[in-house]
Amino acid sequence: MKRSLIYAALFLSSQQALAQIQGHVRDEQGLPITNATVEVVGTKLSTQTNEQGEFSLPAQRDGHIELHVFAPDYTHETLHVHKDDGPVNLVLANTTLEIVNVIGLPWHASNMESAQPVTVLDGDTLRDRQASTLGETLKYEVGVHSSYYGPVASSPVIRGLEGPRVLITQNGLDAGDASRVGPDHAVATEASTARQIEILRGPATLFYGSGAIGGVVNIVDDRVPRGLDTYGEWRLEQDSVADDKLVSASGNTALELNGGGSLGLHLDGFWRDAGNYKIPGPAEIETAEEHAEEGHEHHDNGRLANSFAEAQGGNIGGSFIMDEGFVGLSYGHLERQYGIPGHSHGDEEANVYADLKQDRVQLISELTLDHDFFSATNTRFGFTDYEHSEIENGAIGTTFRNETAEARWELFHHPIAEWRGALSFHYKHNDFEAIGDEAFTPPSKTSTLALGLMEERHFGELLVQLGARVEQVTISANNLQLDLNDHSHSDEDHHQSEFIRVFDFDHESTPFSASAGAVWDFTPGYNIGLSYTHAERTPSAAELLAFGPHLGSGLYEVGAILELHEAADGDFHFDLARTDLELETSNNVDLSLRKFEGDIGFILNAFYNQIDNYYYLSETNAVYETEHDHGDETGAEHEHAAELPVFIYQARDADLYGFESEIIWQTTSALKLSFTSDYTRASLKNGGDLPRIPPLRIGARAQYELGSWRAELSGQHYFEQDKIAALETTTDSYTLVDAQISYAFSDTLKIYLKGNNLTDEYARVHASFLKDKAPLPARSYALGISGNF
């Protein structure tokens, strides 16, 4: 970050000094900053300042380098140094905002230096917010809500968008699960062993492809070691609301090799177990008659049925670390067994749970190149083998499998007229299969091949970022079966299928994305970020090919390649659509104002997203009766029937706009106050509202530290949501109050107590498919102890 207040005094020096990049890093009072990190951007060269704030780095052969300097509790600075410059005197300003480097971006940037809004959750903040699901972990971040499928399968909702529009990645590679297909499918990641979680709000197709048109959540861990440091952490915790127990630990170390170089090693693991969770007291619950009429979940002794979960997993990794960078490989295994609340057949509740297994291999390398044109290369390979079965009354009903192979190669060039950037090559292949009674989408294969270019340059106090990406996306499925029979709205007229059409499906498209952004340090301690993104998305295989009952959403889902024909007598049938498939196209503008120096800091964002051909499930007014048999553990067969409303994927133009704000005030050295708010308005251009859009939210947080004690009190108020789509109902407002207190015995050991929903508020999440069946948990307390080394 370049600003007039943060200056560099550069002067001529002797020929001997030119062999080194030398300088001092000080604070605004002129005192040296110890252990500040100084990096040469585009290389693996870095060092830390000594007790006098001094640093020294080898000079580069082209005579021009870009330095990035940062330290905890200070602003980040970027400075260009040329061959005729001498030692650098750099001043870093204090900041109350947390400034963190973003790993998920191909070029260097902190969350204050990106034209696109980015939030990074790390350190103690991440540990304090950590929950059993990714959605619940991130739900208090500005612009992010939880889809809340109970505490078992909640995913993040970014600016009202979720599912196939929000990509979940692990160290920059697709999580490779089935969570983007259905709300009742858990995200196959774990927050308790993560180093940081990054949230890219708004289209991120430039870096990640068309599956990221609504944003990206990147979980970063150290399973592939990047350095030689020895460190680790562990945690034990128990929560009262579901007798939730957590054990987690992770650690890194290194070994020196006889032949030169070093070997970095990583090991982590976790185990968690929770029963059905408590819901708020009966005074807040509707009468039994109202409960049954509205189709609410049956509760067992004040607990939500089928909300239990058990999970365990671990990762092992190693890296060969050298002066030029590192090359590393990791293997991870994850298992989850979790109940699926709200699963029913008509009026009959079903005992259903999911049994999930995932194996994941990653190869990651980051290397500096000794080349006249190219300066560095980053490589990521990943293979994920995922499977989960939904087991009803002891028998497997449906099995979902997903094999994902992905490769990403980024090739950075030396500065050209001070433009710095990279070529990106990206390949991904998904082989998805759903087999069983409730396989609402057929087996399909999706392949993506992409080429991207990203560039940035400083013009004085202005940072300009440009990029473009073109993809080739292929979706194929064989032996699709289309039921051509007429169906009636009435039970007695329903009959079995007699006419079936079998066909193959192949679709190829070429989405194109481009972005332009700028960050202007217009005055000391402030900057403005402005970005425009044009992003195109190929509809997912599920959006195109769905044809069947999806009990996770409570709908009979029909893909966009089909259309519904209704007769005058009320009968209806499906046929192939006669219209061409269109790419979903987003034109998004983000405007950010940031203050990052001094005791008061803030980040204000406004966005407008015009999406043409927005694919969403649209009501048809038709009802489909489903019938299927399930065996149980005794081998007996049971027939189930249910009426589901028919919703079909349609492409319509939509507008989404809103704001996000965060204000932080360090009132004294001990007390910090934070105030947040966010809002998203989402509507169709031809009239109507998009479904499950979170309401306006405001929040406040007070943090107090005194010696070894730390306390925090927070509140979030969710306003009423009455902008609703078909079959939705208005969601009442509610307020959640949380608190925690901790005591540090030392720098490496602390004990803590957390309280959630302290007022025992009865709350329903508007973004949830289970809004009317799964209220948020009752008042709870968690006691834990954690340590690090």
Side-chain angles (χ1 to χ4, degrees), residues 132 136 148 151 237-245 273-280 300-304 307-308 754-757 760 775-783:
S132 59
E136 290 298 286
Y148 197 69
E237 181 178 300
Q238 181 159 5
D239 195 304
S240 63
V241 75
D243 193 24
D244 189 348
K245 296 173 283 291
D273 183 32
N276 293 332
Y277 73 82
K278 299 175 185 176
I279 61 173
D300 181 15
N301 296 322
R303 296 179 181 270
L304 182 70
S307 61
F308 62 89
K754 297 193 292 188
N756 295 317
N757 192 11
D760 210 29
L776 289 175
R779 179 190 300 114
S780 68
Y781 301 98
L783 179 64

Side-chain angles (χ1 to χ4, degrees), residues 281-362:
E284 298 290 338
I285 303 178
E286 301 89 345
T287 66
E289 184 176 345
E290 292 172 329
H291 211 66
E293 287 177 357
E294 296 182 21
H296 291 188
E297 181 65 73
H298 296 287
H299 304 124
D300 181 15
N301 296 322
R303 296 179 181 270
L304 182 70
N306 284 348
S307 61
F308 62 89
E310 182 179 349
Q312 53 275 325
N315 299 282
I316 185 171
S319 295
F320 182 62
I321 299 172
M322 47 208 139
D323 293 339
E324 297 82 3
F326 69 91
V327 178
L329 182 69
S330 71
Y331 166 75
H333 180 74
L334 175 68
E335 295 182 4
R336 288 188 194 273
Q337 299 82 35
Y338 61 92
I340 304 179
H343 196 107
S344 62
H345 303 286
D347 295 330
E348 182 181 353
E349 294 297 320
N351 179 21
V352 182
Y353 70 94
D355 188 0
L356 180 158
K357 293 181 177 64
Q358 184 194 63
D359 291 287
R360 185 176 180 87
V361 177
Q362 289 185 338

Side-chain angles (χ1 to χ4, degrees), residues 516-545:
V519 180
W520 178 30
D521 299 310
F522 63 95
T523 194
Y526 294 80
N527 72 24
I528 290 177
L530 177 65
S531 68
Y532 165 75
T533 303
H534 171 86
E536 297 177 346
R537 181 180 78 94
T538 301
S540 68
E543 292 171 305
L544 295 176
L545 306 176

Side-chain angles (χ1 to χ4, degrees), residues 450-469:
L451 173 66
L453 175 65
M454 294 144 284
E455 298 288 333
E456 70 171 14
R457 182 187 170 180
H458 283 93
F459 294 89
E461 307 298 330
L462 183 69
L463 170 64
V464 175
Q465 298 172 335
L466 304 173
R469 173 184 170 116

